[in-house]
Amino acid sequence: MWNDASNSARGFRPRGESRPVGHGSSFRQFTWAVRVYHEDCDGAGVVYHAGYLRFLERARTEWLRALGFPQSALAARHRIAFVVRALAIDYLRPARYDDTLVVGVALEALKGGSILLAQEVARDGATLASARVKIACVNTGSFRPVRIPGVVSAAIDRCGV
């Protein structure tokens, strides 16, 4: 599934500076702040494991938007969408109701039709969850794999590996 010996997300450390969007992010480590709401939690006020997947998705979506490619524009102009092909996640510490979290996105590899990303969810500098996510580029009509359009690939490539 991955191109290395380990399928584990454990050990992910952000590359580059970790700054919020709008404060000079280098895109080596794109970050997006999220607040934990009741809907994200179980009865004890702890984020349910699937909630982290939503946080990761939001950060990936905002990463693409910051690169100049909102999901709606990718579909309309290029007839593509990015879908999760594989995901490995390690849950390290709990997030709780009303926490402010920072979700990071770092590019690990860019191939013709897929992107491998390292992501993490942190609170006050402490990593709560780390993940490796492989997203595939698909045609919006057939949902068959396609190459990432050159203009999109070039913008992603500029954010550095």
Side-chain angles (χ1 to χ4, degrees), residues 40-59:
D40 302 314
C41 299
D42 61 18
V46 174
V47 172
Y48 183 67
H49 71 276
Y52 291 90
L53 301 179
R54 287 191 301 273
F55 301 153
L56 297 173
E57 175 72 24
R58 291 174 194 161

Side-chain angles (χ1 to χ4, degrees), residues 74-76 78-81 138-144:
L74 289 172
H78 301 285
R79 293 185 167 78
I80 64 162
V138 298
N139 176 277
T140 54
S142 66
F143 277 84
R144 290 188 168 290

Side-chain angles (χ1 to χ4, degrees), residues 59-153:
R60 287 192 307 275
T61 297
E62 296 305 329
W63 171 68
L64 286 169
R65 183 185 315 278
L67 289 172
F69 302 102
Q71 298 277 5
S72 56
L74 289 172
R77 291 187 200 128
H78 301 285
R79 293 185 167 78
I80 64 162
F82 287 107
V83 297
V84 173
R85 167 75 172 83
L87 182 136
I89 187 166
D90 285 329
Y91 300 99
L92 306 170
R93 294 179 181 91
R96 300 184 186 282
Y97 171 69
D98 209 32
D99 281 350
T100 298
L101 308 176
V102 176
V103 185
V105 179
L107 179 66
E108 281 197 357
L110 173 63
K111 296 196 173 180
S114 66
I115 304 168
L116 181 60
L117 299 168
Q119 290 194 258
E120 77 170 3
V121 178
R123 178 188 57 232
D124 298 327
T127 301
L128 306 182
S130 61
R132 295 184 76 211
V133 184
K134 184 176 187 177
I135 56 176
C137 184
V138 298
N139 176 277
T140 54
S142 66
F143 277 84
R144 290 188 168 290
V146 295
R147 291 190 66 77
I148 300 168
V151 66
V152 178
S153 182

Side-chain angles (χ1 to χ4, degrees), residues 5-62:
S6 170
N7 288 346
S8 175
R10 190 175 306 278
F12 162 73
R13 292 294 172 253
R15 289 185 234 147
E17 292 186 26
S18 178
R19 296 186 198 171
V21 176
H23 291 88
S25 175
S26 68
F27 291 104
R28 289 188 182 278
Q29 167 72 22
F30 175 87
T31 59
W32 187 255
V34 296
R35 171 83 60 191
V36 176
Y37 300 120
H38 281 293
E39 67 188 23
D40 302 314
C41 299
D42 61 18
V46 174
V47 172
Y48 183 67
H49 71 276
Y52 291 90
L53 301 179
R54 287 191 301 273
F55 301 153
L56 297 173
E57 175 72 24
R58 291 174 194 161
R60 287 192 307 275
T61 297
E62 296 305 329

